[in-house]
Amino acid sequence: MSHHQAPDHEPQEWDVHTGGGVIRAVSPAPRETWAQVLASDPGAMAFHLPQWLDCICGVRGWQDASRLYRTAEGRELVLPMVRRPGWLRAMSLQSSFPPGWGTGGILASGGVRPHEVDMVLADLAADRALRTSVRPAFTAAHAWPAGAPGVVTVPRTVHVLDLDGGMDALWSQRWSAKERRGLRSSERKAEQAGLVIERGHSPELVAAFYDVYLRWLDRRARERHLPPAVVRSRGKRAEPLAKFQAVAASLPGTCRILVARLDGEPVASTISLMHGSICIYWRGSSDKRTAAPLRANQFLLLRAIEEACDAGCRYFEMGESGGVASLERFKASLGGRVTPLTEYRLERLPLTLLQDQLGRISRAADARLGNQQS
């Protein structure tokens, strides 16, 4: 059972002056109102739950910076957001949401409207934070502008599978003959090998998932000719065990872990997040040596899709692939269709440009280190 955190600071209220009049803003957003708006937005996802924000704050040390807006039309909007506290407000970072924690964006009854997005962006632009980033979910992408003055836009994509009609429609209409053959093959191979699937959100399943993740890191180190200790350290820092423990404990009805075992040993695992009409394929990893010949990844994801259909979900969102071609092909083999998104960054300094440069330096360093190790 989850417990919602008390705000890190006293709520603040202010007026936002827009071309359409004055709207009232409150931060952090009152949880009762947040829950009401969440329930009335058909595009709401697990990432938009207040408990999700609490996990980010508890694991990573961010603060609740969510905002409630009351418009002149009488509508209420909620922007789930966290802040990385800085010694000065002008040095703080705000995000909806940080990397590795999914998409954020604005919640509203019936979905957010374009002019409401403009009002929120105007308010965020007036904030003194060093950078505020917002990455809306695919369900709200249509309401967000292609660009805005003073806003850095970063194009992104996710793969989304349409579940309309359930499994019958997927098998008979949405999956191609090639995709059907691949999925049937994965089922046969898994069943013949005696692959056993465990479901739930227990600490034991979290531990099994993380064990597979660490072995995946070790394989990645070997493939890139990098020191395993370095890759493991980076991987644990990016994806700490505490992150998955917090999500499973705080969102027991939302977090769905599937672990595939062969002779008692976990060889593949996925974590899905189910809320409302949307199921999110959040994380997945495998021990390639054992899982690949059995097509265990496909088998597990097929089971996750079946669970989403049984729960009445309308979409299965497979997340970003980071430009990894093999991962994109894997998602496409399950019927995922590329869906464009945009991340919006309001920066007082050119942080995105600096990050891009540091990323290139880091990749070049890894390449040199890999060459030395080979």
Side-chain angles (χ1 to χ4, degrees), residues 183-208:
L183 293 170
R184 293 298 190 198
S185 174
S186 70
E187 288 186 306
R188 285 194 303 271
K189 288 177 180 291
E191 291 168 358
Q192 290 170 359
L195 209 63
V196 176
I197 307 299
E198 295 181 7
R199 296 174 168 83
H201 59 271
S202 68
E204 292 76 18
L205 287 179
V206 174

mmCIF file of all heavy atoms in Angstrom, residues 183-208:
data_model
loop_
_atom_site.group_PDB
_atom_site.id
_atom_site.type_symbol
_atom_site.label_atom_id
_atom_site.label_comp_id
_atom_site.label_asym_id
_atom_site.label_seq_id
_atom_site.Cartn_x
_atom_site.Cartn_y
_atom_site.Cartn_z
ATOM 1 N N LEU A 183 5.371 -14.882 -33.634
ATOM 2 C CA LEU A 183 4.781 -15.014 -32.302
ATOM 3 C C LEU A 183 4.420 -16.462 -32.000
ATOM 4 O O LEU A 183 4.648 -16.957 -30.886
ATOM 5 C CB LEU A 183 3.550 -14.117 -32.181
ATOM 6 C CG LEU A 183 3.842 -12.611 -32.211
ATOM 7 C CD1 LEU A 183 2.551 -11.814 -32.327
ATOM 8 C CD2 LEU A 183 4.603 -12.199 -30.957
ATOM 9 N N ARG A 184 3.878 -17.168 -32.978
ATOM 10 C CA ARG A 184 3.545 -18.572 -32.776
ATOM 11 C C ARG A 184 4.819 -19.385 -32.529
ATOM 12 O O ARG A 184 4.835 -20.310 -31.700
ATOM 13 C CB ARG A 184 2.818 -19.130 -34.008
ATOM 14 C CG ARG A 184 1.443 -18.545 -34.260
ATOM 15 C CD ARG A 184 0.482 -18.837 -33.129
ATOM 16 N NE ARG A 184 -0.888 -18.472 -33.478
ATOM 17 C CZ ARG A 184 -1.858 -18.298 -32.599
ATOM 18 N NH1 ARG A 184 -1.597 -18.441 -31.302
ATOM 19 N NH2 ARG A 184 -3.082 -17.987 -32.986
ATOM 20 N N SER A 185 5.868 -19.027 -33.233
ATOM 21 C CA SER A 185 7.142 -19.717 -33.058
ATOM 22 C C SER A 185 7.686 -19.509 -31.651
ATOM 23 O O SER A 185 8.198 -20.444 -31.025
ATOM 24 C CB SER A 185 8.156 -19.226 -34.090
ATOM 25 O OG SER A 185 9.435 -19.784 -33.858
ATOM 26 N N SER A 186 7.563 -18.276 -31.152
ATOM 27 C CA SER A 186 8.056 -18.009 -29.794
ATOM 28 C C SER A 186 7.262 -18.797 -28.764
ATOM 29 O O SER A 186 7.827 -19.298 -27.784
ATOM 30 C CB SER A 186 7.975 -16.504 -29.491
ATOM 31 O OG SER A 186 6.641 -16.061 -29.356
ATOM 32 N N GLU A 187 5.964 -18.946 -28.987
ATOM 33 C CA GLU A 187 5.148 -19.738 -28.069
ATOM 34 C C GLU A 187 5.575 -21.200 -28.074
ATOM 35 O O GLU A 187 5.713 -21.835 -27.020
ATOM 36 C CB GLU A 187 3.670 -19.615 -28.445
ATOM 37 C CG GLU A 187 3.053 -18.265 -28.125
ATOM 38 C CD GLU A 187 1.555 -18.241 -28.373
ATOM 39 O OE1 GLU A 187 1.148 -18.593 -29.497
ATOM 40 O OE2 GLU A 187 0.812 -17.896 -27.445
ATOM 41 N N ARG A 188 5.788 -21.760 -29.263
ATOM 42 C CA ARG A 188 6.177 -23.165 -29.355
ATOM 43 C C ARG A 188 7.534 -23.428 -28.702
ATOM 44 O O ARG A 188 7.701 -24.382 -27.931
ATOM 45 C CB ARG A 188 6.223 -23.609 -30.824
ATOM 46 C CG ARG A 188 4.868 -23.812 -31.460
ATOM 47 C CD ARG A 188 5.008 -24.564 -32.784
ATOM 48 N NE ARG A 188 5.899 -23.878 -33.710
ATOM 49 C CZ ARG A 188 5.507 -22.948 -34.577
ATOM 50 N NH1 ARG A 188 4.239 -22.568 -34.609
ATOM 51 N NH2 ARG A 188 6.364 -22.378 -35.395
ATOM 52 N N LYS A 189 8.493 -22.542 -29.010
ATOM 53 C CA LYS A 189 9.833 -22.729 -28.458
ATOM 54 C C LYS A 189 9.811 -22.640 -26.931
ATOM 55 O O LYS A 189 10.456 -23.445 -26.240
ATOM 56 C CB LYS A 189 10.783 -21.669 -29.025
ATOM 57 C CG LYS A 189 11.160 -21.870 -30.486
ATOM 58 C CD LYS A 189 12.031 -20.735 -30.968
ATOM 59 C CE LYS A 189 12.429 -20.922 -32.429
ATOM 60 N NZ LYS A 189 13.358 -22.047 -32.612
ATOM 61 N N ALA A 190 9.073 -21.672 -26.393
ATOM 62 C CA ALA A 190 9.020 -21.502 -24.938
ATOM 63 C C ALA A 190 8.358 -22.694 -24.273
ATOM 64 O O ALA A 190 8.831 -23.198 -23.235
ATOM 65 C CB ALA A 190 8.267 -20.216 -24.603
ATOM 66 N N GLU A 191 7.266 -23.157 -24.850
ATOM 67 C CA GLU A 191 6.537 -24.284 -24.261
ATOM 68 C C GLU A 191 7.343 -25.576 -24.347
ATOM 69 O O GLU A 191 7.391 -26.367 -23.400
ATOM 70 C CB GLU A 191 5.186 -24.430 -24.947
ATOM 71 C CG GLU A 191 4.224 -23.281 -24.621
ATOM 72 C CD GLU A 191 3.002 -23.260 -25.519
ATOM 73 O OE1 GLU A 191 2.932 -24.134 -26.414
ATOM 74 O OE2 GLU A 191 2.140 -22.387 -25.329
ATOM 75 N N GLN A 192 8.007 -25.809 -25.471
ATOM 76 C CA GLN A 192 8.807 -27.025 -25.636
ATOM 77 C C GLN A 192 10.003 -27.044 -24.690
ATOM 78 O O GLN A 192 10.416 -28.110 -24.216
ATOM 79 C CB GLN A 192 9.271 -27.139 -27.088
ATOM 80 C CG GLN A 192 8.156 -27.444 -28.074
ATOM 81 C CD GLN A 192 8.596 -27.302 -29.517
ATOM 82 O OE1 GLN A 192 9.744 -26.956 -29.803
ATOM 83 N NE2 GLN A 192 7.676 -27.556 -30.455
ATOM 84 N N ALA A 193 10.558 -25.870 -24.411
ATOM 85 C CA ALA A 193 11.722 -25.801 -23.527
ATOM 86 C C ALA A 193 11.330 -25.879 -22.048
ATOM 87 O O ALA A 193 12.198 -26.055 -21.190
ATOM 88 C CB ALA A 193 12.492 -24.511 -23.779
ATOM 89 N N GLY A 194 10.038 -25.745 -21.763
ATOM 90 C CA GLY A 194 9.590 -25.778 -20.372
ATOM 91 C C GLY A 194 9.764 -24.450 -19.658
ATOM 92 O O GLY A 194 9.949 -24.418 -18.428
ATOM 93 N N LEU A 195 9.689 -23.354 -20.424
ATOM 94 C CA LEU A 195 9.809 -22.022 -19.831
ATOM 95 C C LEU A 195 8.615 -21.773 -18.907
ATOM 96 O O LEU A 195 7.465 -21.986 -19.286
ATOM 97 C CB LEU A 195 9.844 -20.974 -20.942
ATOM 98 C CG LEU A 195 10.613 -19.678 -20.691
ATOM 99 C CD1 LEU A 195 12.092 -19.971 -20.489
ATOM 100 C CD2 LEU A 195 10.437 -18.734 -21.881
ATOM 101 N N VAL A 196 8.887 -21.315 -17.695
ATOM 102 C CA VAL A 196 7.844 -21.069 -16.704
ATOM 103 C C VAL A 196 7.732 -19.565 -16.466
ATOM 104 O O VAL A 196 8.745 -18.874 -16.277
ATOM 105 C CB VAL A 196 8.161 -21.785 -15.368
ATOM 106 C CG1 VAL A 196 7.117 -21.440 -14.311
ATOM 107 C CG2 VAL A 196 8.218 -23.287 -15.579
ATOM 108 N N ILE A 197 6.504 -19.050 -16.500
ATOM 109 C CA ILE A 197 6.257 -17.621 -16.308
ATOM 110 C C ILE A 197 5.710 -17.369 -14.907
ATOM 111 O O ILE A 197 4.760 -18.016 -14.474
ATOM 112 C CB ILE A 197 5.251 -17.081 -17.349
ATOM 113 C CG1 ILE A 197 5.696 -17.423 -18.763
ATOM 114 C CG2 ILE A 197 5.081 -15.563 -17.187
ATOM 115 C CD1 ILE A 197 7.028 -16.839 -19.154
ATOM 116 N N GLU A 198 6.324 -16.418 -14.209
ATOM 117 C CA GLU A 198 5.836 -15.979 -12.908
ATOM 118 C C GLU A 198 5.327 -14.552 -13.041
ATOM 119 O O GLU A 198 5.933 -13.730 -13.732
ATOM 120 C CB GLU A 198 6.934 -16.052 -11.851
ATOM 121 C CG GLU A 198 7.408 -17.462 -11.552
ATOM 122 C CD GLU A 198 8.474 -17.489 -10.472
ATOM 123 O OE1 GLU A 198 8.750 -16.435 -9.871
ATOM 124 O OE2 GLU A 198 9.048 -18.568 -10.237
ATOM 125 N N ARG A 199 4.222 -14.247 -12.349
ATOM 126 C CA ARG A 199 3.601 -12.931 -12.428
ATOM 127 C C ARG A 199 3.442 -12.329 -11.044
ATOM 128 O O ARG A 199 3.240 -13.052 -10.069
ATOM 129 C CB ARG A 199 2.212 -13.027 -13.072
ATOM 130 C CG ARG A 199 2.178 -13.481 -14.508
ATOM 131 C CD ARG A 199 0.737 -13.674 -14.971
ATOM 132 N NE ARG A 199 0.635 -13.843 -16.396
ATOM 133 C CZ ARG A 199 0.817 -14.982 -17.027
ATOM 134 N NH1 ARG A 199 1.123 -16.079 -16.333
ATOM 135 N NH2 ARG A 199 0.699 -15.050 -18.345
ATOM 136 N N GLY A 200 3.473 -10.994 -10.969
ATOM 137 C CA GLY A 200 3.193 -10.339 -9.700
ATOM 138 C C GLY A 200 3.993 -9.065 -9.531
ATOM 139 O O GLY A 200 4.469 -8.473 -10.512
ATOM 140 N N HIS A 201 4.175 -8.654 -8.288
ATOM 141 C CA HIS A 201 4.955 -7.455 -7.995
ATOM 142 C C HIS A 201 5.746 -7.631 -6.703
ATOM 143 O O HIS A 201 6.105 -6.664 -6.045
ATOM 144 C CB HIS A 201 4.022 -6.231 -7.879
ATOM 145 C CG HIS A 201 2.991 -6.382 -6.806
ATOM 146 N ND1 HIS A 201 1.768 -6.960 -7.022
ATOM 147 C CD2 HIS A 201 3.013 -6.048 -5.488
ATOM 148 C CE1 HIS A 201 1.071 -6.969 -5.900
ATOM 149 N NE2 HIS A 201 1.813 -6.429 -4.954
ATOM 150 N N SER A 202 6.002 -8.874 -6.329
ATOM 151 C CA SER A 202 6.658 -9.176 -5.054
ATOM 152 C C SER A 202 8.123 -8.746 -5.072
ATOM 153 O O SER A 202 8.743 -8.600 -6.137
ATOM 154 C CB SER A 202 6.587 -10.679 -4.774
ATOM 155 O OG SER A 202 7.390 -11.394 -5.699
ATOM 156 N N PRO A 203 8.721 -8.572 -3.883
ATOM 157 C CA PRO A 203 10.160 -8.261 -3.812
ATOM 158 C C PRO A 203 11.015 -9.325 -4.492
ATOM 159 O O PRO A 203 12.055 -9.007 -5.074
ATOM 160 C CB PRO A 203 10.422 -8.212 -2.304
ATOM 161 C CG PRO A 203 9.107 -7.838 -1.688
ATOM 162 C CD PRO A 203 8.086 -8.521 -2.553
ATOM 163 N N GLU A 204 10.574 -10.592 -4.425
ATOM 164 C CA GLU A 204 11.331 -11.660 -5.069
ATOM 165 C C GLU A 204 11.360 -11.500 -6.587
ATOM 166 O O GLU A 204 12.395 -11.747 -7.224
ATOM 167 C CB GLU A 204 10.724 -13.018 -4.700
ATOM 168 C CG GLU A 204 10.882 -13.421 -3.245
ATOM 169 C CD GLU A 204 9.931 -12.690 -2.318
ATOM 170 O OE1 GLU A 204 8.920 -12.124 -2.815
ATOM 171 O OE2 GLU A 204 10.194 -12.673 -1.088
ATOM 172 N N LEU A 205 10.228 -11.073 -7.168
ATOM 173 C CA LEU A 205 10.198 -10.868 -8.609
ATOM 174 C C LEU A 205 10.999 -9.634 -9.013
ATOM 175 O O LEU A 205 11.627 -9.619 -10.078
ATOM 176 C CB LEU A 205 8.752 -10.744 -9.090
ATOM 177 C CG LEU A 205 7.956 -12.054 -9.107
ATOM 178 C CD1 LEU A 205 6.530 -11.805 -9.588
ATOM 179 C CD2 LEU A 205 8.627 -13.098 -9.976
ATOM 180 N N VAL A 206 10.992 -8.608 -8.169
ATOM 181 C CA VAL A 206 11.835 -7.439 -8.432
ATOM 182 C C VAL A 206 13.304 -7.852 -8.445
ATOM 183 O O VAL A 206 14.075 -7.459 -9.330
ATOM 184 C CB VAL A 206 11.600 -6.336 -7.378
ATOM 185 C CG1 VAL A 206 12.596 -5.193 -7.582
ATOM 186 C CG2 VAL A 206 10.181 -5.804 -7.452
ATOM 187 N N ALA A 207 13.693 -8.683 -7.474
ATOM 188 C CA ALA A 207 15.075 -9.152 -7.399
ATOM 189 C C ALA A 207 15.441 -9.983 -8.622
ATOM 190 O O ALA A 207 16.556 -9.864 -9.166
ATOM 191 C CB ALA A 207 15.288 -9.956 -6.123
ATOM 192 N N ALA A 208 14.514 -10.824 -9.084
ATOM 193 C CA ALA A 208 14.768 -11.644 -10.274
ATOM 194 C C ALA A 208 14.932 -10.763 -11.505
ATOM 195 O O ALA A 208 15.825 -10.992 -12.340
ATOM 196 C CB ALA A 208 13.631 -12.638 -10.471
#
